[in-house]
């Protein structure tokens, strides 16, 4: 059968998605399923790895059936995933020994404090590009080994494996034959030396993590293995691309040259700027990270990670219950003429870039008797745009590049109010592309390149096109007044948990 399509598996924080792309990079069919978020204690977040595999393999089969496409028509599978989320499983049974500890989970804040007290911050920053924070996988692996009965002995005997979600999916797709990750995912573990491109022995020893648990690190565009015959009715499809979702989005947006940047508005919000083969250290609270390994070399990126973006909208819907659907926020926010002095800082799991405060917590300030639900909804959307400005300022400082336009993608960019407010508060044009599923598209591109479905990056870059450009319209003085209010609100949220 002619291989006409690429199947992208996009395993996100709140849902598993499967998307089929054709040769023009157009979406042919999509299937999506939300899965359970587990909050065992305040600040703790877990997922069930079996539910992740179940929903992900389920949507992969469903998308093919729905589109009437045979698995034998799929040239390759590309994987992209929520990053940092940590799974440890038994090599022999293939069963996880604990729930996946999600990137947002704060349970290892004290392990991070210990690392800082032992003076390791500088070493970690220099060699992994990361700040010491509970966000990354390293301390999560240590927590599982320290807290699950018998885990450490088993790990030392070589009976346990660690993986992020890419690794977990590839292991299951190949029925336990392949234990790998790619450079972009490895760079989020806080265990990988991004200068030497190998697992860092010093950090492994400081965290007491046996090297035998770790996956082999491969390029992001590479045939890792083939799907087991049972999963797709006998088809052995090459698994030919893998990248963390934010790096995949950078690739899908065609940001192939140094200085090109994108911002993805999903559960969190992540701005990445390509810095090419140069590792740019941050002085302003950003991360230095591996963008991908493609064409026989690795390239780097600067990243501003915002933990809560679209998730604040889910909170309005699921906890406050003041909206029914995420898309209602656009209409509700425009029912009022401004924020009426209300600011919401969604530090539900601490604050990421550029503050890096594991102990910050959410707050709403500026309430008066006239504050309505609409003001809170508006403040929630505005908080996404303010956090993006915090990160953009740091990015411009670190890179020495003043951005003229920002490419955006992710679920929340459907919100026109948010996009206009974003352009206004940044004073920069915001470009929303026709395909906003850029994460999945990036994974498809990486896989397609590895099997020759697409020739090179030039062919891919030509497929990007803009849907709408939002131009800044706000008066300069209004813009700065609003942003100043945000900075004051953030002050109130910092270090709350410790006090
Ligand atoms: N119209 C909208 N306005 C604001 N937020 C939205 C809108 N549509 C979706 N979202 C938010 O976007 C997020 C979903 O985006 P998605 O890219 O699928 O995220 P993820 O990959 O992190 O699961 C959700 O948090 C949701 O609340
Ligand atoms: O699931 P998303 O799209 O919010 O992405 C999560 C990030 O990869 C976390 O680092």
């Amino acid at each position: 059968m002619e291989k006409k399509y690429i199947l992208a598996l996009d395993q996100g924080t709140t849902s598993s998605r499967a998307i089929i792309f054709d040769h023009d990079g157009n979406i042919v069919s999509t299937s999506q399923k939300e899965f359970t978020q587990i909050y065992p204690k305040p600040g703790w977040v877990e997922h069930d790895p079996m539910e992740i595999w179940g929903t992900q393999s389920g949507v992969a089969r469903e998308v093919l059936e729905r589109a009437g496409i045979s698995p034998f028509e799929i040239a390759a599978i590309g994987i992209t995933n929520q990053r940092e989320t940590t799974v440890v499983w038994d090599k022999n049974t293939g069963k996880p020994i604990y729930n996946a500890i999600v990137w947002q989970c704060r349970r290892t804040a004290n392990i991070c404090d210990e690392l800082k007290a032992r003076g390791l911050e500088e070493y970690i920053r220099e060699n992994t590009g990361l700040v010491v924070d509970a966000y990354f996988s390293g301390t999560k692996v240590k927590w599982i080994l320290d807290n699950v009965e018998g885990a450490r002995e088993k790990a030392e005997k070589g009976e346990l494996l660690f993986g992020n979600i890419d690794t977990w999916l590839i292991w299951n797709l190949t029925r336990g034959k392949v234990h790998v990750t790619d450079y972009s995912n490895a760079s989020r573990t806080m265990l990988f030396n991004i200068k030497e491109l190998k697992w860092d022995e010093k950090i492994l020893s400081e965290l007491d993590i046996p090297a035998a648990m770790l996956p082999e690190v491969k390029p992001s565009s590479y045939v890792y293995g083939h799907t087991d015959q049972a999963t797709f009715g006998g088809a052995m499809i090459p698994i030919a691309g893998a990248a963390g979702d934010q790096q995949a989005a950078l690739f899908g947006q065609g940001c192939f040259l140094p200085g090109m940047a994108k911002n993805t508005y999903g559960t969190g919000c992540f701005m990445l700027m390509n810095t090419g083969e140069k590792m740019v250290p941050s002085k302003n609270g950003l991360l230095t990270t591996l963008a991908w390994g493609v064409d026989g070399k690795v390239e780097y990126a600067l990243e501003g990670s915002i933990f809560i973006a679209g998730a604040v909208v889910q909170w309005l819907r699921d906890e406050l219950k003041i909206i029914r659907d995420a898309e209602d926020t656009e209409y509700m926010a425009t029912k009022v003429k401004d924020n009426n002095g209300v600011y919401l800082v969604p530090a539900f799991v601490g604050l990421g870039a550029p503050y890096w405060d594991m102990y910050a917590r959410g707050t709403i300030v500026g309430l008066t008797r006239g504050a309505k639900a609409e003001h809170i909804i508006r403040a929630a959307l505005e908080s996404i745009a303010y956090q993006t400005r915090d990160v953009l300022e740091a990015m411009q400082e670190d890179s020495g590049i003043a951005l003229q336009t920002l490419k955006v993608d992710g679920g929340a960019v459907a919100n026109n109010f948010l996009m206009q407010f974003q352009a206004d508060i940044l004073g920069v044009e915001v470009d929303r592309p026709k395909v906003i599923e850029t994460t999945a598209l990036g994974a498809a591109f990486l896989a397609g390149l590895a099997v020759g479905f697409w020739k090179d990056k030039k062919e891919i870059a030509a497929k990007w096109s803009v849907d709408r450009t939002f131009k800044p319209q706000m008066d300069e003085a209004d813009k700065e007044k609003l942003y100043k209010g945000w900075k004051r609100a953030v002050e109130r949220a910092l270090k709350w948990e410790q006090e």
Side-chain angles (χ1 to χ4, degrees):
M1 254 179 183
E2 198 191 339
K3 309 277 184 211
K4 288 189 287 197
Y5 309 102
I6 302 282
L7 172 61
L9 306 183
D10 178 0
Q11 207 302 304
T13 311
T14 55
S15 73
S16 297
R17 246 175 299 193
I19 302 185
I20 298 175
F21 290 96
D22 65 15
H23 197 264
D24 292 329
N26 292 323
I27 294 177
V28 177
S29 184
T30 302
S31 176
Q32 177 168 7
K33 194 155 173 41
E34 289 203 9
F35 57 89
T36 319
Q37 303 292 315
I38 305 164
Y39 304 112
K41 290 185 189 181
W44 288 32
V45 191
E46 296 177 2
H47 292 156
D48 174 354
M50 296 313 291
E51 194 183 354
I52 286 190
W53 166 240
T55 52
Q56 191 61 73
S57 51
V59 291
R61 281 188 292 265
E62 187 179 270
V63 77
L64 290 163
E65 276 165 31
R66 193 176 282 174
I69 289 173
S70 154
F72 290 92
E73 290 177 276
I74 302 295
I77 289 179
I79 291 178
T80 183
N81 54 290
Q82 52 164 324
R83 307 166 303 166
E84 300 96 13
T85 297
T86 298
V87 189
V88 175
W89 68 95
D90 187 309
K91 196 179 186 168
N92 301 313
T93 63
K95 294 275 174 293
I97 63 162
Y98 193 77
N99 271 342
I101 303 185
V102 176
W103 59 276
Q104 296 163 321
C105 187
R106 307 282 86 195
R107 83 183 63 193
T108 58
N110 62 337
I111 306 181
C112 295
D113 290 339
E114 273 168 37
L115 291 175
K116 289 182 188 168
R118 298 210 307 259
L120 285 160
E121 242 177 324
E122 206 38 49
Y123 180 87
I124 289 177
R125 186 190 297 272
E126 259 181 34
N127 293 285
T128 68
L130 307 176
V131 300
V132 176
D133 193 274
Y135 178 25
F136 306 105
S137 321
T139 57
K140 300 183 198 287
V141 181
K142 178 176 166 55
W143 190 94
I144 292 177
L145 296 184
D146 287 347
N147 288 278
V148 176
E149 215 188 312
R152 186 163 293 286
E153 296 82 81
K154 278 182 124 181
E156 273 156 14
K157 279 198 258 161
E159 291 170 13
L160 297 185
L161 298 178
F162 150 72
N164 292 127
I165 299 299
D166 59 321
T167 305
W168 174 240
L169 293 179
I170 296 172
W171 169 269
N172 280 288
L173 283 165
T174 60
R175 283 243 175 151
K177 285 206 189 82
V178 180
H179 184 228
V180 293
T181 189
D182 88 300
Y183 287 116
S184 70
N185 275 296
S187 73
R188 315 298 298 184
T189 57
M190 216 177 80
L191 304 173
F192 194 69
N193 190 308
I194 63 168
K195 291 203 262 190
E196 296 175 9
L197 302 182
K198 56 177 205 195
W199 297 111
D200 190 290
E201 281 166 27
K202 180 175 162 72
I203 303 175
L204 289 177
S205 126
E206 292 285 350
L207 288 172
D208 213 359
I209 297 175
M213 297 179 72
L214 307 173
E216 224 182 306
V217 186
K218 300 281 189 191
S220 317
S221 181
Y222 181 87
V223 180
Y224 309 103
H226 292 77
T227 56
D228 180 78
Q229 286 184 334
T231 313
F232 292 107
M236 291 168 72
I237 309 169
I239 304 161
D245 53 10
Q246 303 309 323
Q247 286 93 331
L250 190 69
F251 204 81
Q253 288 269 26
C255 294
F256 299 140
L257 299 174
M260 293 176 89
K262 67 87 203 180
N263 199 27
T264 300
Y265 300 71
T267 303
C269 204
F270 300 86
M271 190 188 294
L272 271 77
M273 179 186 276
N274 184 329
T275 61
E277 290 178 66
K278 209 167 116 204
M279 234 179 99
V280 178
S282 173
K283 290 198 182 71
N284 296 287
L286 301 181
L287 308 174
T288 305
T289 205
L290 282 164
W292 45 69
V294 177
D295 297 337
K297 59 178 188 211
V298 298
E299 290 182 284
Y300 295 88
L302 266 174
E303 170 174 326
S305 329
I306 297 164
F307 294 154
I308 302 290
V312 71
V313 173
Q314 289 174 333
W315 176 73
L316 298 175
R317 183 194 64 188
D318 302 338
E319 265 69 41
L320 288 198
K321 300 190 194 310
I322 54 175
I323 52 166
R324 249 207 241 141
D325 285 309
E327 64 181 23
D328 297 347
T329 54
E330 181 169 343
Y331 163 72
M332 301 283 267
T334 50
K335 268 176 70 181
V336 288
K337 69 175 189 338
D338 57 26
N339 68 2
N340 199 16
V342 177
Y343 288 88
L344 189 162
V345 184
F348 301 155
V349 292
L351 284 173
Y355 306 101
W356 297 108
D357 182 351
M358 294 185 285
Y359 301 101
R361 288 295 178 265
T363 186
I364 300 177
V365 295
L367 293 174
T368 55
R369 183 64 182 77
K372 298 180 195 305
E374 287 85 347
H375 293 121
I376 293 177
I377 293 166
R378 186 169 174 132
L381 290 177
E382 290 184 353
S383 76
I384 302 173
Y386 291 130
Q387 293 184 93
T388 296
R389 171 148 169 194
D390 291 340
V391 161
L392 185 92
E393 290 197 345
M395 187 89 60
Q396 303 201 133
E397 282 271 311
D398 278 336
S399 66
I401 294 171
L403 273 194
Q404 300 306 314
T405 53
L406 182 65
K407 291 182 171 192
V408 298
D409 55 68
V413 303
N415 191 309
N416 294 312
F417 166 79
L418 172 61
M419 290 299 101
Q420 184 55 52
F421 188 76
Q422 185 68 89
D424 286 342
I425 220 68
L426 294 179
V428 159
E429 283 187 5
V430 169
D431 270 356
R432 183 170 67 192
K434 286 217 170 87
V435 177
I436 60 169
E437 294 283 2
T438 330
T439 299
L441 182 61
F445 282 157
L446 287 165
L449 282 176
V451 296
F453 188 78
W454 289 294
K455 202 166 69 201
D456 52 24
K457 287 197 273 191
K458 203 167 150 217
E459 183 185 357
I460 284 171
K463 299 189 189 300
W464 189 89
S465 62
V466 71
D467 158 54
R468 182 164 165 191
T469 298
F470 296 85
K471 293 189 194 306
Q473 290 165 355
M474 195 181 278
D475 174 80
E476 185 66 22
D478 291 346
K479 171 175 106 176
E480 292 315 311
K481 190 167 165 231
L482 279 171
Y483 186 56
K484 223 165 150 190
W486 163 255
K487 291 297 238 186
R488 289 176 58 222
V490 169
E491 287 299 317
R492 306 297 196 276
L494 294 175
K495 299 196 172 51
W496 183 261
E497 182 75 6
Q498 270 171 340
E499 284 168 21

